[in-house]
Amino acid sequence: MAVKERMDYIKKQLHSQSYKLTPQREATVEVLLENEEDHLSAEDVYLLVKDKAPEIGLATVYRTLELLNELEIVDKINFGDGVSRYDLRKEGANHSHHHLVCIQCGDVSEIEEDLLGEVEVKVEREWQFKIKDHRLTFHGVCSKCQRDKDSTNEEVGRQTVDQL
Amino acid sequence: MAVKERMDYIKKQLHSQSYKLTPQREATVEVLLENEEDHLSAEDVYLLVKDKAPEIGLATVYRTLELLNELEIVDKINFGDGVSRYDLRKEGANHSHHHLVCIQCGDVSEIEEDLLGEVEVKVEREWQFKIKDHRLTFHGVCSKCQRDKDSTNEEVGRQTVDQL
DNA sequence: TATGAAAACGATAATGATTATCGTTTAGTA
DNA sequence: TACTAAACGATAATCATTATCGTTTTCATA
Ligand SMILES: [Mn+2]
Ligand SMILES: [Mn+2]
Ligand SMILES: [Zn+2]
Ligand SMILES: [Zn+2]
């Protein structure tokens, strides 16, 4: 779906709760839509949105992100560095997607497919817990870093192809 | 396993990296062992540990928790309120356990069983990502709050069961 | 046992992300 | 046009965490 159409949908979501899509909010959403792969902090968003709306204040960015989070348009996530990051939900998704965090290069990538279907059935049944959402993050070594490590090893000399 | 024995094991882990188990560190670990179900913030730990070692400083608590985290004795977790929480790993566990967070009463409970075995096989294969650890948290309504809501509904009278 | 270096510590200042405050602007309505 | 509430921008306040620094403890060695 085009950015324009998703913006319209978000506009409807705001209006349905009698919030306005002000120019500042629109510019902020635009930044999120145009950087969907990234995981921007409030400060990141602020710097990017200043190009579109130079007069915007940091407080407004925080307020807007908080609002979008309440409306479940974005998820507020935390990867353990000291800042919150704001992650647009995938089109049509009604819950947070999964993440892969590389402990070597720091790269964060996404898994859009929901892998928790069966697990959630089990949790609801065996723990009597009604699940509304989830957060799943894997920490490990991304494919790129695995390859880099292999090359390094080859340069050094003979070696086993893989160790677990 | 008794607190004493787990303390000894942690002592060995520290020594194996040539760290000392100072009285302050021992008191801090004791607090963690005696409150294993809880998810204490640094400040929480500080207040509890003061009973055992009244002269301890907050900075030392932070340093100790950081050290225990590096040694993978505790996991530093974040539930979205503004503080980090320190969660002792279960005996013999080599990764973080799962959590259930109730969006109504705020209660946090634990799932000790690892539910991600098959999911991780799939992720490693299909995303070429070497998993070292994971974080899985479910947000929803705990069994207690489900019961409470049922009672409330009955008192109020007839009504639609759910309006998402 | 005395000594010297490194590791830890306690107190507290500094940092930095987030939130609160407050006066001003904007949008919608009578 | 005038009124009211929602939003905004600037900036002060808050508060968790980290950095600094002088002191204490540990421990290997003379
Ligand atoms: Mn994401
Ligand atoms: Mn836990
Ligand atoms: Zn990587
Ligand atoms: Zn509950």
Side-chain angles (χ1 to χ4, degrees), chain B residues 1-13:
Chain B
M1 197 192 278
V3 168
K4 184 69 168 54
E5 288 163 313
R6 295 186 70 183
M7 182 67 76
D8 284 347
Y9 185 62
I10 290 169
K11 188 172 186 172
K12 278 180 194 142
Q13 289 177 275

Side-chain angles (χ1 to χ4, degrees), chain A residues 8-44:
Chain A
D8 283 348
Y9 186 62
I10 290 169
K11 189 171 185 174
K12 278 179 194 143
Q13 288 178 275
L14 287 169
H15 284 165
S16 79
Q17 309 273 335
S18 48
Y19 290 112
K20 303 164 193 169
L21 182 62
T22 64
Q24 292 91 340
R25 286 174 181 168
E26 183 164 16
T28 302
V29 172
E30 246 178 61
V31 164
L32 294 174
L33 284 168
E34 291 169 358
N35 297 274
E36 200 171 1
E37 328 283 274
D38 299 337
H39 298 89
L40 305 175
S41 67
E43 185 79 27
D44 293 337

